[in-house]
Amino acid sequence: ASEHGVDTLVVEWWSNLGPVKGDNLGLEEGLLKARFLDSIKWCVMWNNPDNPWNGPWAPKDFLGNVEYWIKNYFALPSYKKHGDGRPIVFTLETTYFTKRWKPDEFQDAFAKADAMARAAGYPGIYWVACLHGGGGAFKSDPTAYRQAGFEESTLYVIAGYDTGGFPAYPARKAVDYAPTLWGQFTLKSLLPVFCGWGSTKWSGHLGTLALDFTPELFERHLRDAKAFLDAHGLKRIIIDCWNEWGEGE
């Protein structure tokens, strides 16, 4: 990855109502022991959706996770920091906090997390809001995210936004629509591009599948992203859902 311009891996991090090492063996027994780890940075994306095998989450659970990250990850030379020294953390489904927590709980929990990081010697935590859930991702008011300390946002996957033809659709439709989608961000955008998408290994005939995603289409997608970055004074993109390759699509 680093040889082809990727400078940071965003690692999906799991917890089961509190840090459980077994949920993150791929990180702790894999990436963190990799021979060439010093050639790339990485950071945590907390997998915080509320589903049958994960959650629900209370603020105390979140703060327990933060304590674990501070103790085990943030001091590592390979952990990605913002330019001002703040460790970077993504939350996978940031709309969860506005749906399930009261506004004061949301702000208070993230303020406490920042205070914990400062007490450990960091300037705070740089929060990135990953939005999730199709077209509903842009319907929530970003004010609550800003008040909680989020400064940047991205998407888990761009497939599913005005592509039509579910459960299968031409990947070209997602690539064609991407510049319109990028213009909908209300927080500073960490521009998402995708590398194909499929959920049929999870959901069978009810899953979604992007068809005919070719290297040439990916190149056009990246060139469109670069043009958008240049036109809007942005600097970075994120290639989302590499994990989907490993899930069989």
Side-chain angles (χ1 to χ4, degrees), residues 16-114:
N16 184 16
L17 295 180
V20 180
K21 183 175 181 180
D23 288 343
N24 297 292
L25 288 176
L27 169 63
E28 299 188 355
E29 299 297 326
L31 180 64
L32 296 188
K33 295 182 179 180
R35 179 179 177 186
F36 297 108
L37 181 60
D38 60 355
S39 68
I40 201 164
K41 300 293 185 182
W42 67 277
C43 65
V44 160
M45 179 174 68
W46 177 30
N47 185 310
N48 70 305
D50 181 4
N51 54 42
W53 58 88
N54 197 37
W57 307 106
K60 65 179 179 62
D61 303 313
F62 163 67
L63 294 173
N65 295 339
V66 174
E67 182 179 12
Y68 188 88
W69 301 335
I70 292 171
K71 179 180 179 181
N72 294 281
Y73 300 152
F74 287 175
L76 298 176
S78 57
Y79 197 90
K80 179 72 172 180
K81 310 294 195 303
H82 188 258
D84 60 8
R86 286 179 291 169
I88 296 174
V89 175
F90 289 63
T91 57
L92 172 59
E93 192 165 341
T94 312
T95 53
Y96 175 91
F97 303 116
T98 57
K99 292 176 180 177
R100 296 301 186 93
W101 292 359
K102 297 176 181 178
D104 58 334
E105 288 181 321
F106 185 17
Q107 295 179 36
D108 182 62
F110 277 77
K112 287 179 178 177
D114 277 346

Side-chain angles (χ1 to χ4, degrees), residues 54-239:
N54 197 37
W57 307 106
K60 65 179 179 62
D61 303 313
F62 163 67
L63 294 173
N65 295 339
V66 174
E67 182 179 12
Y68 188 88
W69 301 335
I70 292 171
K71 179 180 179 181
N72 294 281
Y73 300 152
F74 287 175
L76 298 176
S78 57
Y79 197 90
K80 179 72 172 180
K81 310 294 195 303
H82 188 258
D84 60 8
R86 286 179 291 169
I88 296 174
V89 175
F90 289 63
T91 57
L92 172 59
E93 192 165 341
T94 312
T95 53
Y96 175 91
F97 303 116
T98 57
K99 292 176 180 177
R100 296 301 186 93
W101 292 359
K102 297 176 181 178
D104 58 334
E105 288 181 321
F106 185 17
Q107 295 179 36
D108 182 62
F110 277 77
K112 287 179 178 177
D114 277 346
M116 291 166 63
R118 289 194 296 272
Y122 304 99
I125 297 174
Y126 187 88
W127 299 104
V128 181
C130 184
L131 304 177
H132 202 272
F138 294 109
K139 293 181 180 178
S140 54
D141 184 353
T143 303
Y145 305 144
R146 291 193 184 97
Q147 290 175 340
F150 285 89
E151 298 181 42
E152 206 166 3
S153 62
T154 191
L155 293 174
Y156 182 64
V157 65
I158 72 166
Y161 295 81
D162 198 42
T163 50
F166 284 122
Y169 62 90
R172 175 186 52 78
K173 285 193 173 184
V175 171
D176 289 345
Y177 187 67
T180 300
L181 183 66
W182 296 330
Q184 296 180 31
F185 280 89
T186 52
L187 289 176
K188 180 182 177 182
S189 171
L190 175 53
L191 207 67
V193 303
F194 91 138
C195 53
W197 169 257
S199 61
T200 59
K201 293 300 184 290
W202 301 330
S203 307
H205 71 282
L206 298 177
T208 299
L209 186 62
L211 301 174
D212 301 322
F213 193 81
T214 64
E216 293 77 17
L217 186 61
F218 187 47
E219 179 180 354
R220 178 164 74 82
H221 192 27
L222 292 176
R223 290 185 183 278
D224 289 347
K226 177 62 165 59
F228 191 95
L229 293 177
D230 293 343
H232 294 82
L234 300 171
K235 298 294 185 183
R236 300 185 298 158
I237 68 171
I238 182 168
I239 303 173

